[in-house]
Amino acid sequence: MMASSYSAKEEDGHHSGSAGLGGAAIRTRKPDNTAFKQQRLPAWQPILTAGTVLPAFFIIGLIFIPIGIGLYVTSNNIKEFEIDYTGTDMSSPCFNCSQSFSWNSTTPCKCVLFFSLDQPFESNVFMYYGLSNFYQNHRRYVKSRDDSQLNGDQRSLKEPSKECEPYRTNENKPIAPCGAIANSMFNDTLDLFYIDPNGTKTQILLIKKGIAWWTDKHVKFRNPGGSNPNLTAAFIETAKPVNWHKPVYELDIDSENNGFINEDFIVWMRTAALPTFRKLYRIIQKKNNMTPTLPRGSYSLEVTYNYPVRSFEGRKRMILSTISWMGGKNPFLGIAYITVGSICFFLGVVLLFIHHKYGNRNNSSDVPN
């Protein structure tokens, strides 16, 4: 039989010099005998007992349920109206426009939709356009832009980023703004009219400035040439996006809302996370406290149909909405708080019952002599 020897030094990672070449010690993979490497550092491990778990469940429930009710009631008090003007149904006033219009159409198609508001909209009203089945979150679509060009960089204006392909150049000229996002910019025109009981139409004033984020308007987007008001000269030797009907320096007659700093363009360039989304289009400001912003009654929406959606089976809609301190209408947040709070309160009741019935069973049981 062969006998094996044991050495405490070898267990600690130290071997005798005769075992190595030339008396050198053999290194092992065993960690050093320190508190950190041997995981002997001081630690705190909570011990969950009925006295700590039950109050936590009841406190979370009692806090979350009232917050959820408040959020849900606030969301329901927000007034919202939505009308679809895609024109897929033959009975729709926009049916002919949806069937005949395409990106290559040069003559705009117009349609009028009539609707009524059952309740007046008292505070400022925000008009949105909504799209469905439009995947702005696609990876290649999101990357198809040149932020340096949008920030007014002259070099990027003449030599756009390769990320903009295939919307980087057109007719051997750089496209400004380049990329798929800018090329697919929403360009329907929406006009709202109030119809008096006697049949007179009154156009509602729609504010087009103040719809973009301040940081986007004043930091991320800038026109080339600095403060030069002549945008035609600033964008010389550039081409408009393929699907646009006019160049970027003709988006608005107002110099503070033209070119890359056009707020409709800025709003579109902030891509949505989901395929069904809405973007702010206009603001209807409240004139005084005596009359509602949009009184109850009949209205007409006149649409200049420029944006085709049949190619991707999308839908278009117009939304009128008020807001509150929590933003727009969003019942999900209130429902989520109520659901979590109710579950926690219910679990607290169940665990309290179990603890009351079975918690002290071992203490009350008879111990034999």
Side-chain angles (χ1 to χ4, degrees):
M1 296 180 61
M2 297 181 61
S4 62
S5 61
Y6 170 81
S7 174
K9 292 183 178 181
E10 292 181 359
E11 184 181 274
D12 292 336
H14 301 283
H15 296 264
S16 61
S18 60
L21 297 175
I26 299 177
R27 299 180 63 183
T28 66
R29 295 184 177 180
K30 184 177 180 180
D32 295 335
N33 189 18
T34 62
F36 177 76
K37 292 187 176 182
Q38 295 296 335
Q39 300 183 11
R40 295 196 299 267
L41 292 173
W44 176 77
Q45 182 178 1
I47 299 176
L48 300 179
T49 62
T52 58
V53 174
L54 292 178
F57 275 116
F58 284 115
I59 290 174
I60 293 175
L62 293 176
I63 293 177
F64 274 44
I65 291 176
I67 293 177
I69 293 175
L71 293 174
Y72 186 76
V73 172
T74 303
S75 177
N76 283 345
N77 289 335
I78 297 175
K79 297 177 182 178
E80 187 172 293
F81 176 83
E82 181 175 318
I83 183 171
D84 188 296
Y85 70 94
T86 309
T88 54
D89 299 331
M90 295 185 64
S91 59
S92 173
C94 296
F95 176 76
N96 293 331
C97 292
S98 67
Q99 298 298 314
S100 60
F101 195 82
S102 65
W103 288 113
N104 298 324
S105 300
T106 57
T107 303
C109 184
K110 295 186 177 182
C111 56
V112 181
L113 295 93
F114 296 93
F115 63 93
S116 60
L117 297 179
D118 298 330
Q119 296 180 347
F121 284 48
E122 300 291 344
S123 59
N124 289 345
V125 179
F126 296 82
M127 176 187 283
Y128 302 84
Y129 63 85
L131 293 176
S132 299
N133 205 35
F134 192 107
Y135 289 82
Q136 274 198 318
N137 58 355
H138 192 281
R139 181 181 62 85
R140 291 189 62 186
Y141 183 88
V142 172
K143 293 175 62 178
S144 185
R145 60 188 293 166
D146 190 342
D147 289 318
S148 297
Q149 185 192 65
L150 298 174
N151 196 245
D153 183 68
Q154 290 286 352
R155 182 178 179 181
S156 298
L157 184 67
K158 303 301 181 182
E159 298 179 5
S161 171
K162 293 182 179 180
E163 297 287 354
C164 290
E165 294 288 358
Y167 303 105
R168 182 170 177 262
T169 60
N170 185 26
E171 298 179 354
N172 296 326
K173 291 183 179 181
I175 294 178
C178 71
I181 306 177
N183 186 67
S184 60
M185 176 182 169
F186 182 84
N187 60 347
D188 279 357
T189 302
L190 308 177
D191 292 313
L192 189 63
F193 293 85
Y194 172 68
I195 304 176
D196 293 332
N198 58 6
T200 305
K201 293 176 61 176
T202 304
Q203 186 170 7
I204 305 296
L205 180 61
L206 305 177
I207 307 300
K208 59 184 176 182
K209 297 179 69 174
I211 61 175
W213 290 18
W214 188 93
T215 52
D216 290 348
K217 174 77 173 181
H218 298 90
V219 179
K220 293 182 64 176
F221 292 81
R222 294 177 182 175
N223 283 323
S227 58
N228 183 12
N230 189 358
L231 292 182
T232 305
F235 287 99
I236 193 172
E237 295 182 358
T238 63
K240 67 177 181 64
V242 178
N243 289 338
W244 284 27
H245 296 154
K246 52 187 176 182
V248 66
Y249 51 84
E250 294 181 1
L251 290 179
D252 201 316
I253 59 175
D254 185 358
S255 60
E256 296 182 356
N257 192 42
N258 198 13
F260 288 160
I261 60 174
N262 178 265
E263 297 202 26
D264 286 325
F265 172 68
I266 294 174
V267 169
W268 177 259
M269 293 300 292
R270 182 167 286 277
T271 55
L274 300 174
T276 298
F277 58 88
R278 63 175 64 177
K279 292 180 183 287
L280 185 58
Y281 181 69
R282 294 292 182 266
I283 300 175
I284 307 174
Q285 293 183 345
K286 185 177 180 62
K287 296 181 180 179
N288 53 65
N289 296 327
M290 301 300 296
T291 59
T293 308
L294 293 179
R296 181 175 56 186
S298 301
Y299 292 83
S300 66
L301 176 67
E302 296 189 3
V303 180
T304 304
Y305 206 103
N306 295 322
Y307 201 78
V309 295
R310 290 184 59 200
S311 59
F312 56 91
E313 298 181 355
R315 302 192 70 87
K316 299 189 293 184
R317 61 193 188 280
M318 185 277 297
I319 304 105
L320 298 173
S321 175
T322 59
I323 62 172
S324 67
W325 58 268
M326 60 171 290
K329 195 176 186 67
N330 183 19
F332 171 78
L333 190 61
I335 294 174
Y337 268 91
I338 295 175
T339 302
V340 173
S342 301
I343 292 175
C344 290
F345 194 85
F346 175 75
L347 290 177
V349 173
V350 172
L351 294 177
L352 180 63
F353 173 77
I354 295 174
H355 176 68
H356 179 73
K357 187 172 183 179
Y358 302 105
N360 300 325
R361 185 175 60 180
N362 294 333
N363 298 334
S364 59
S365 58
D366 294 330
V367 180
N369 295 328

